[in-house]
């Protein structure tokens, strides 16, 4: 009787909530199979979905977890390099906070705004000071990051 009232998910309607959760899990644990499967199935939506738990974009999640290859794949898939979450955090901020300097460099090369600010006024450079993320800070400073926001946060 249950089958009469439930129907399988229609892929033309975009990814299901379970598929989105699995996609973000694949990013977090660096599992290329499910990640690529979702990317291949939902190429247009893949860069726009949000993690139901954090509100992060796939690019933000990949930057946070240091998944350089996934970041590259998402940027190739036209991810918004300057997308932000509910408090204004960007992928560059997540990469800087985690000292993922190779991802910081790539995001800057792809046009990430290093002066973007969260709702509290923090920039990517400010995030490098929370855990002494020296390599990421050096990369941002080498690219001309403004140090003015530092005074407001310390």
């Amino acid at each position: 009787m249950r089958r009469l009232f439930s129907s399988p998910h229609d892929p033309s309607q975009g990814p299901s909530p379970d598929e989105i959760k699995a996609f973000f899990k694949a990013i977090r644990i660096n599992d290329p199979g499910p990640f690529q499967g979702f990317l291949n199935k939902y190429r247009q939506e893949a860069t726009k979905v949000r993690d139901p738990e954090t509100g992060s974009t796939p690019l933000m999640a990949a930057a946070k977890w240091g998944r350089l290859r996934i970041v590259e794949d998402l940027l190739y898939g036209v991810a918004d390099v300057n997308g932000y979450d509910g408090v204004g955090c960007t992928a560059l901020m997540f990469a800087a906070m985690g000292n993922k300097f190779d991802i910081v460099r790539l995001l800057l090369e792809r046009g990430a705004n290093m002066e973007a600010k969260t709702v509290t006024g923090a920039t990517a450079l400010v995030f490098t000071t929370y855990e002494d993320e020296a390599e990421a800070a050096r990369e941002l400073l080498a690219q001309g990051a403004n140090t003015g926001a530092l005074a407001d946060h310390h």
Side-chain angles (χ1 to χ4, degrees), residues 33-44 46:
F35 170 79
Q36 284 299 330
F38 186 95
L39 208 56
N40 292 338
K41 187 174 182 181
Y42 299 110
R43 176 63 63 179
Q44 295 300 315

Side-chain angles (χ1 to χ4, degrees), residues 2 5 10 42 55 58 83 94 112 141 144 151:
R2 188 174 186 165
F5 297 105
D10 179 1
Y42 299 110
F94 283 111
L141 289 168

